[in-house]
Amino acid sequence: QLLLRGKPDRHQRGAGASSRPDAGYTIEEHAADMAGVLRTLGCGPAHLVGSSTGGAIAQVMALDHPDVVRSVTIMGSWAAPDDFFRHQFETRKAILRQAGLRVYAEASALFLFSPQYFRDRYPQVREYCDLGASSASDLDIMVKRIDMILNADQKARLGGIRHPALIIVGRHDTCTPPYFSEELARLIQGAESTVLEGGHLVYFEDPEGFYRTVAEFLRRH
């Protein structure tokens, strides 16, 4: 199983000693990177579990590198940006540029967790913000990653995915609202879909429900 985490500041190009191209990043590059890792290690085809941006990467892996994919679980992701999505991320990018990483992390939390989770588990939200502000890549990389997210559009191609697919979304996701996942489920042939209680990071808010849903899907495939 391979978890493609969607945070745009870790695990991908721009992190650690990896390349920092002036031209920025693309979802296709990330998909090719991960497919190359699987081929080199000889451990595919893999069950991909992609959250948010990781879900966008999983879509491209299934389309462009089907030989290394066994199934795709896409959580809190999107097929193509719309006006809400663009407005949200352009605003978050402006906050990042004008106020820096700390304020950006604080503002982003409003889109990542449900209001109820804020109310009931605020210390965990604060811990998440602290971690995000302290471990993020530099500001320029973060801006380029947001541009990458805004350019991620596989809507016209999703009918070409032939792998088993599971679409998951949090009922109270305000980063990628449930209608994005409904669209993914319509466009990917034979896709299953599940709504869990929580926000964008529903695996934080309902880890048992998330694990149970994904594990049951993987057992069948």
Side-chain angles (χ1 to χ4, degrees):
Q1 301 164 27
L2 179 65
L3 176 63
L4 303 173
R5 300 199 64 176
K7 279 186 65 58
D9 54 359
R10 300 183 206 158
H11 314 305
Q12 301 164 353
R13 292 187 186 217
S18 63
S19 62
R20 288 163 165 76
D22 291 338
Y25 308 85
T26 68
I27 294 293
E28 288 75 14
E29 287 173 334
H30 288 314
D33 288 344
M34 188 56 65
V37 169
L38 289 171
R39 292 187 184 110
T40 299
L41 295 177
C43 60
H47 295 288
L48 308 183
V49 182
S51 167
S52 195
T53 305
I57 295 171
Q59 293 170 45
V60 175
M61 288 184 69
L63 289 163
D64 294 349
H65 309 278
D67 59 300
V68 300
V69 177
R70 182 171 304 230
S71 74
V72 288
T73 296
I74 300 170
M75 190 193 75
S77 196
W78 68 97
D82 65 358
D83 288 335
F84 167 79
F85 192 90
R86 283 186 286 269
H87 185 100
Q88 175 198 164
F89 278 97
E90 290 292 355
T91 300
R92 289 169 66 178
K93 184 166 66 173
I95 292 171
L96 179 62
R97 282 173 163 164
Q98 296 171 26
L101 290 169
R102 163 57 66 175
V103 177
Y104 173 78
E106 301 278 350
S108 294
L110 295 168
F111 293 95
L112 301 180
F113 298 101
S114 69
Q116 183 172 337
Y117 192 82
F118 260 80
R119 182 193 67 188
D120 297 340
R121 306 290 294 275
Y122 191 62
Q124 285 79 6
V125 175
R126 289 250 39 96
E127 182 180 359
Y128 186 90
C129 292
D130 292 341
L131 179 63
S134 64
S135 63
S137 302
D138 64 55
L139 188 147
D140 183 57
I141 291 172
M142 295 287 285
V143 168
K144 289 176 181 176
R145 292 292 180 82
I146 291 175
D147 290 336
M148 175 188 76
I149 288 168
L150 289 169
N151 287 320
D153 182 348
Q154 304 302 325
K155 184 174 181 178
R157 301 206 296 151
L158 289 177
I161 293 178
R162 291 293 181 263
H163 301 85
L166 171 64
I167 313 300
I168 301 176
V169 68
R171 189 180 307 277
H172 306 291
D173 187 341
T174 55
C175 179
T176 52
Y179 67 80
F180 281 113
S181 289
E182 292 169 5
E183 182 175 54
L184 285 168
R186 287 196 308 270
L187 294 172
I188 298 175
Q189 183 176 341
E192 303 174 34
S193 62
T194 299
V195 179
L196 299 178
E197 291 301 322
H200 187 61
L201 302 182
V202 71
Y203 50 84
F204 271 93
E205 301 193 31
D206 184 13
E208 293 182 0
F210 176 74
Y211 176 83
R212 185 170 56 250
T213 300
V214 175
E216 193 277 331
F217 172 73
L218 295 182
R219 276 195 295 269
R220 290 189 283 107
H221 299 285

